[in-house]
Amino acid sequence: MLFVRGAATILIASTLALGACSTDRPFGPTVGDVFGGGPTTRAAAESAQLGIGVNAYLWRATLDTLSFMPLTSADPWGGVINYDWYSDPRTPNERFKATVFILDTRLRADALNVSLTKQVQDASGQWVAAAVDPQTETDLENAILTKARQFNLADAR
């Protein structure tokens, strides 16, 4: 037990002593530096993104474009938006569920992924999984990207 305390004390003391050698911090490390919290330089602190962890235009465009579907959950830091089953009144025997992944903080086409699940009613009234046309997912992604670009242009003015 004494050995563990001694080793921990030496480790902490050496970390503090080495951290004091930094020219960026003339008075040594801060608590955040020692325990891994916070940016270590002013430039890093200024570049840290505040707010949501994904592109705000893609986030808004997704919520706006798919607003006709019931929203189940939204994680603005992880970039995942889940929608519940939606059935078009013109085709009541099929329904769709969507999950949208926003993968980047930049407004790019590869920063967006839409995943659809489709079910159809069989003769007994049970919902059965069905194949989704890949073009439908692509069309939704394009609609969201178009809306995001419009939001971006409107903010630039």
Side-chain angles (χ1 to χ4, degrees):
M1 182 71 167
L2 184 61
F3 177 73
V4 173
R5 283 189 186 166
T9 303
I10 290 171
L11 179 64
I12 291 172
S14 63
T15 302
L16 292 173
L18 289 174
C21 297
S22 170
T23 58
D24 192 37
R25 301 241 188 227
F27 299 109
T30 63
V31 174
D33 295 336
V34 173
F35 294 106
T40 58
T41 64
R42 180 175 295 272
E46 290 172 357
S47 69
Q49 181 180 1
L50 300 175
I52 65 175
V54 296
N55 184 277
Y57 297 116
L58 288 173
W59 184 262
R60 274 182 29 202
T62 299
L63 294 174
D64 190 59
T65 303
L66 298 177
S67 63
F68 62 92
M69 296 180 79
L71 184 65
T72 302
S73 66
D75 177 10
W77 291 275
V80 179
I81 305 173
N82 290 308
Y83 290 93
D84 206 0
W85 292 110
Y86 169 77
S87 185
D88 187 354
R90 295 172 290 182
T91 56
N93 62 339
E94 66 180 25
R95 64 184 184 174
F96 292 90
K97 187 184 236 185
T99 301
V100 179
F101 300 95
I102 301 173
L103 308 169
D104 201 343
T105 57
R106 298 171 291 177
L107 179 54
R108 299 169 42 117
D110 61 353
L112 183 68
N113 184 359
V114 175
S115 175
L116 289 176
T117 304
K118 179 181 177 181
Q119 289 184 340
V120 294
Q121 263 184 333
D122 63 9
S124 66
Q126 297 294 320
W127 290 103
V128 181
V132 177
D133 182 10
Q135 187 61 41
T136 305
E137 292 175 342
T138 303
D139 290 345
L140 278 175
E141 288 175 0
N142 288 336
I144 292 169
L145 287 166
T146 300
K147 180 68 81 172
R149 288 184 197 107
Q150 290 172 351
F151 286 148
N152 187 12
L153 289 172
D155 282 353
R157 292 180 192 167

